[in-house]
Amino acid sequence: MPHHQYVLTLSCPDRVGITAAVTTFLFENGQNVLDAQQYNDIESGHFFMRVVFNAADRVVPLAELRNGFSAVAVKFTMGWHMRDRSTRRRVMLLVSQSDHCLADILYRWRIDELQMIPTAIVSNHPRETFSGFDFGEIPFYHLPVTKDTRRQQEAAITALIAQTKTDLVVLARYMQILSDEMAGRLAGRCINIHHSFLPGFKGARPYHQAFDRGVKLIGATAHYVTSTLDEGPIIDQDVERISHRDTPADLVRKGRDIERRVLARAMHYHLDDRVILNGRKTVVFVD
């Protein structure tokens, strides 16, 4: 990216003058707006904005920009974040036996479609489960878990997150329910992929349940993890039409494809600062 780009995201109670204050600050600090998106949520009365900018006629250090913008943020009671786009976020991948999402994420990372730094791959199954994978230099951790050892296992994951300075945790078909405490610690920085267009069929063999009910659409949902199971703020969803000719195996095959692309989009949106929490929902500034 030329000219060293920065991205600013913000949300605050809506009032007159927010956009003018943001753009005036950037102009007065020698910055040029490259892309700007905004949204006024009439229902909640909140304003959301994402701005990508770079230096127009003088280079200002990021710390100086942040320090200067804090006065604008205080005036409008903003929740905000300003980041250098060249700084890649550190991502930990949790996975169980289903490896299709993991394979897709690693492929997209290797071709630089998902711009991130993988910090670790963590699984409740041994390394042999993924014998066909070349993880390269990404560390792999086998952390088995039972009902009696969940607290200790989550403590080990938490320690790894801190040790590796992980910014985002992705449950890439990690088939374990996080405790309320773990979900709370990871609020806003843990993404899960759910095997249905929520709300949907819960429990085991969801595609077989869908087959038995004769559904005409299957889908997948990527959302932030909260203590309420599968009800966190939704980032992305997709569906695919099916027919009476499709077998349960067809549904599983098509479902894997949907899960891959939905999770990849959700990760991209998060990594590129395109998602802003809005209570139980999200505002997603798609590209």
Side-chain angles (χ1 to χ4, degrees), residues 179-230:
S179 67
D180 291 354
E181 294 80 8
M182 187 73 166
R185 283 194 294 268
L186 296 176
R189 58 190 189 108
C190 181
I191 296 176
N192 184 36
I193 182 69
H194 193 277
H195 48 240
S196 72
F197 186 72
L198 290 173
F201 300 99
K202 297 184 178 181
R205 295 163 64 86
Y207 290 112
H208 291 75
Q209 293 182 57
F211 174 78
D212 291 340
R213 291 287 299 277
V215 302
K216 304 307 180 195
L217 287 173
I218 59 171
T221 300
H223 62 92
Y224 287 116
V225 171
T226 64
S227 58
T228 306
L229 181 62
D230 297 328

Side-chain angles (χ1 to χ4, degrees), residues 249-260:
D250 292 329
L251 269 63
V252 170
R253 172 177 55 82
K254 293 181 178 182
R256 283 196 294 258
D257 286 340
I258 306 171
E259 291 167 12
R260 280 190 284 254

